[in-house]
Amino acid sequence: MPLPNDGDTPASVRYNARPYLHGPETAAMAAAMEAGQYGHGPQADLFESELAAYLGVPDVVAVSSATTGIHLALMACGVGPGDEVIVPSQTFAATIQPIVALGAFPRFIDHHPDTLCIEPEAVREAITPATRVVLPVLYGGRPVGLGSIAPELEHRGIQVVEDAAQAFGSQRVASRATTVYSFGPIKQLTALVGGAIVPRTTDQADALRRMRALGITSSQTQRIQTTTYTVDGPGLRGVLPDVNAAVGRVQLARFDTVAARRVALWKAYAHALHGTPDVSLVDVGVGDGTVPFNCVVRVPDRDRVHRTMQVRGIGVGVHYPPNHLQPAFARFTRPLPVTERVAGEILSLPFHPAMTPDDARWTATALLEALTANTA
Ligand SMILES: *Cc1c(COP(=O)(O)O)cnc(C)c1O
């Protein structure tokens, strides 16, 4: 939703984030709808193979959302009651709920304050005999490398599931991880809602395809030719509908323009804010192959800066209030000094591909004005 405008705020700056459509999405969606197949169908099959080609991986499993994708990936890793999943607290609640839904324990850890991403050493310290999975979050699109502790994780049978909901298009560094992308409304690539998993092995791909279809072993095509079907294990209703896949395909074919716009926008912010003593930019790794999802700064007196900018109609936000302090996750809480301090400093600036570098420069000036207003 746009904020009310006080007059001089550029229209696109009123949104913190927004879907970016190229035009042909509507026709593609209507065509898929008229084709009459509303579940996983030919569009989803094509989307999977086009995604695999784009990412340079052997296979991709399309799913209904990243949240469901994380849930399925954890199931594929055998996560169940009593297991521990090492995860940053600084993430969207969607990373945590699937862990809890499986009866497992989120073992919250601190991030690095410059990147808001977890570091190998903090992961190592959090490992217990109950650890089953490490779940890094690629905050802002930044790849998270756990290579330095990979042998130890492997030795202990601990798997890696990446929450790459904010990282579609960024260079992949974790070849031994199961990677989960989101195609939600405001992500780098949107299918309206949706997601995809890069499986680690062909066996895992088979398991994910079964589990996204309620644990049923036969495909829909096979099922209509027989009088029965087999449910051979747990499952969710998690396929990506063809109408969504059709939108995703249009977006994927034009992804490079969006990636370039996002990089240019992030750089315009970075240039405009460079050398400003009270502002530090969260380093999402632009220059190292990141397609940025957001532009987040750390500022003093954040709540007041947020209010001052909102009053001007500028779409600022906070992503995210930490999970270990949420009532739903209180039984898993532990002290996380870095996360708790930084949570009071972060501010997400308006960031979406319809914005121009001029819009970023205008917003950077407004941020500096808001900071000065604070000290006045
Ligand atoms: C958007 C997001 C999700 C959830 O993605 P959905 O596709 O909406 O389920 C999970 N984790 C992070 C970090 C996100 O930004």
Side-chain angles (χ1 to χ4, degrees):
M1 287 287 283
L3 287 162
N5 201 339
D6 78 342
D8 71 333
T9 302
S12 67
V13 168
R14 291 157 64 200
Y15 299 87
N16 183 257
R18 264 199 114 176
Y20 184 83
L21 298 181
H22 302 271
E25 286 91 343
T26 314
M29 195 169 146
M33 206 167 118
E34 280 156 20
Q37 214 169 318
Y38 294 171
H40 179 110
Q43 290 296 319
D45 280 337
L46 286 167
F47 191 36
E48 287 186 339
S49 48
E50 289 162 4
L51 284 166
Y54 186 84
L55 295 168
V57 297
D59 196 9
V60 167
V61 179
V63 289
S64 55
S65 69
T67 308
T68 298
I70 293 167
H71 199 145
L72 291 167
L74 293 175
M75 285 163 72
C77 293
V79 171
D83 290 335
E84 285 182 4
V85 176
I86 296 174
V87 67
S89 172
Q90 176 50 70
T91 181
F92 190 34
T95 319
I96 312 303
Q97 289 288 23
I99 303 171
V100 177
L102 287 166
F105 296 89
R107 167 98 177 166
F108 292 118
I109 63 170
D110 259 334
H111 54 65
H112 192 289
D114 294 344
T115 63
L116 310 195
C117 288
I118 60 173
E119 300 270 305
E121 203 42 49
V123 172
R124 190 205 302 275
E125 285 167 11
I127 292 172
T128 75
T131 307
R132 176 75 76 144
V133 163
V134 181
L135 178 32
V137 175
L138 282 59
Y139 189 93
R142 184 187 184 83
V144 174
L146 297 175
S148 60
I149 56 165
E152 183 170 351
L153 296 180
E154 188 126 348
H155 174 70
R156 290 171 172 269
I158 298 170
Q159 303 196 58
V160 179
V161 174
E162 294 187 308
D163 179 345
Q166 302 185 354
F168 186 78
S170 293
Q171 203 173 325
R172 297 186 70 237
V173 299
S175 57
R176 274 183 294 210
T178 305
T179 303
V180 183
Y181 293 110
S182 170
F183 304 135
I186 59 163
K187 296 294 159 52
Q188 280 93 327
L189 186 156
T190 186
L192 311 184
V193 292
I197 308 173
V198 179
R200 216 166 42 80
T201 62
T202 52
D203 282 352
Q204 198 193 48
D206 291 345
L208 290 167
R209 288 199 162 92
R210 238 179 5 255
M211 291 192 300
R212 77 176 173 187
L214 297 168
I216 296 171
T217 52
S218 45
S219 75
Q220 211 181 334
T221 327
Q222 292 166 323
R223 229 189 308 152
I224 54 177
Q225 293 161 351
T226 57
T227 55
T228 187
Y229 63 73
T230 307
V231 185
D232 83 341
L236 301 174
R237 195 146 187 75
V239 297
L240 182 71
D242 251 22
V243 284
N244 298 91
V247 173
R249 292 185 63 213
V250 172
Q251 291 254 311
L252 182 62
R254 292 155 183 80
F255 186 70
D256 289 345
T257 11
V258 166
R261 290 186 78 101
R262 284 183 173 271
V263 168
L265 189 60
W266 200 93
K267 285 184 173 167
Y269 267 127
H271 189 76
L273 293 168
H274 181 76
T276 313
D278 273 347
V279 181
S280 38
L281 230 68
V282 171
D283 180 0
V284 293
V286 170
D288 297 324
T290 292
V291 176
F293 171 67
N294 56 17
C295 182
V296 177
V297 292
R298 293 168 50 200
V299 292
D301 209 359
R302 190 272 320 275
D303 286 4
R304 220 188 117 168
V305 175
H306 179 264
R307 206 161 40 246
T308 305
M309 293 182 81
Q310 276 224 324
V311 166
R312 288 188 71 178
I314 302 167
V316 285
V318 174
H319 305 97
Y320 303 87
N323 285 285
H324 73 290
L325 303 177
Q326 294 291 354
F329 309 130
R331 64 192 187 285
F332 313 114
T333 199
R334 48 202 295 269
L336 296 175
V338 177
T339 302
E340 286 160 28
R341 172 168 54 81
V342 171
E345 302 171 350
I346 50 175
L347 184 72
S348 309
L349 301 175
F351 195 88
H352 53 90
M355 285 176 66
T356 62
D358 271 345
D359 291 332
R361 285 185 279 272
W362 185 94
T363 308
T365 305
L367 171 63
L368 299 183
E369 286 165 5
L371 280 161
T372 320
N374 273 358
T375 50

